[in-house]
């Protein structure tokens, strides 16, 4: 069977069945289109390439659950748009953290030694870690607490949630950031 001659729907069925060659074909078919779209939105070649890779990794990971009711090209286009918006939110938070006058105490907040990285690389890693925090409320609580030094009680009042919920959100997010900064993710 020549996979390059299959239509998108058949390729998707092959991917769902676990055919990695079908995923590779789909990637090759839409990679350039998606990279252009991601670059248009992110204005960074490396981030655009990572965004496209993330979309295909996600498709592969969720292949047994995926339900696509539109054309595959449109589905991938929407996925890259959403993923780029997600990355942009992380970038915005990163810029806020960098512009904040006080330094973030990375050692205490994340259990990470910043002396092992130069400042530019550390900024990039911190941005990437913030971008990977999937729950907006967790990210918000984390940034308010560690970047803006807002007390947890005030965060709970501002977010209209319990103090315990704030503590859990901050703890979970700190664990995610710590794992990413240490290179476990």
């Amino acid at each position: 069977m020549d996979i390059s001659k299959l239509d998108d729907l058949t390729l998707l069925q092959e991917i769902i069945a676990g055919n990695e060659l079908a995923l590779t074909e789909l990637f090759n078919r839409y990679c350039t289109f998606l990279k252009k779209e991601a670059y248009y939105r992110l204005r960074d070649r490396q981030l655009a390439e990572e965004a496209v890779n993330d979309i295909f990794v996600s498709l592969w990971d969720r292949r047994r659950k995926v339900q696509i009711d539109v054309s595959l090209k449109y589905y991938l286009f929407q996925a890259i748009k959403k993923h780029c918006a997600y990355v942009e939110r992380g970038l915005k938070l990163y810029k806020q953290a960098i512009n904040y006058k006080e330094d973030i105490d990375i050692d205490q907040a994340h259990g990470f030694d910043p002396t092992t990285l130069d400042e530019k690389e550390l900024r990039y890693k911190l941005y990437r870690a913030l971008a990977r925090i999937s729950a907006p409320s967790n990210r918000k609580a984390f940034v308010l607490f560690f970047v803006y030094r807002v007390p947890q009680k005030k965060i709970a009042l501002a977010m209209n949630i319990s103090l315990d919920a704030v503590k859990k959100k901050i703890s979970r997010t700190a664990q995610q950031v710590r794992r990413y900064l240490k290179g476990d993710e």
Side-chain angles (χ1 to χ4, degrees), residues 43-56:
R43 298 290 182 208
D44 183 293
R45 190 174 317 271
Q46 182 178 357
L47 289 177
E49 288 178 9
E50 288 178 11
V52 172
N53 290 337
D54 289 346
I55 293 302
F56 282 96

Side-chain angles (χ1 to χ4, degrees), residues 19-98:
N19 187 339
E20 291 181 32
L21 292 175
L23 182 70
T24 302
E25 174 58 30
L26 188 67
F27 178 84
N28 291 336
R29 195 174 286 182
Y30 291 111
C31 178
T32 303
F33 165 72
L34 293 172
K35 280 183 184 177
K36 286 179 183 178
E37 184 60 35
Y39 182 79
Y40 170 76
R41 294 175 181 285
L42 300 172
R43 298 290 182 208
D44 183 293
R45 190 174 317 271
Q46 182 178 357
L47 289 177
E49 288 178 9
E50 288 178 11
V52 172
N53 290 337
D54 289 346
I55 293 302
F56 282 96
V57 167
S58 175
L59 178 63
W60 180 256
D61 290 344
R62 298 178 314 108
R63 69 185 176 276
R64 291 180 188 94
K65 299 179 225 169
V66 72
Q67 293 181 359
I68 301 175
D69 300 329
V70 294
S71 75
L72 196 50
K73 183 176 183 178
Y74 183 75
Y75 174 83
L76 293 170
F77 172 74
Q78 290 299 319
I80 202 70
K81 270 179 46 178
K82 288 178 184 177
H83 189 75
C84 288
Y86 170 73
V87 170
E88 287 172 327
R89 281 193 307 270
L91 181 59
K92 182 179 175 185
L93 287 170
Y94 166 74
K95 286 179 180 177
Q96 289 174 351
I98 294 303

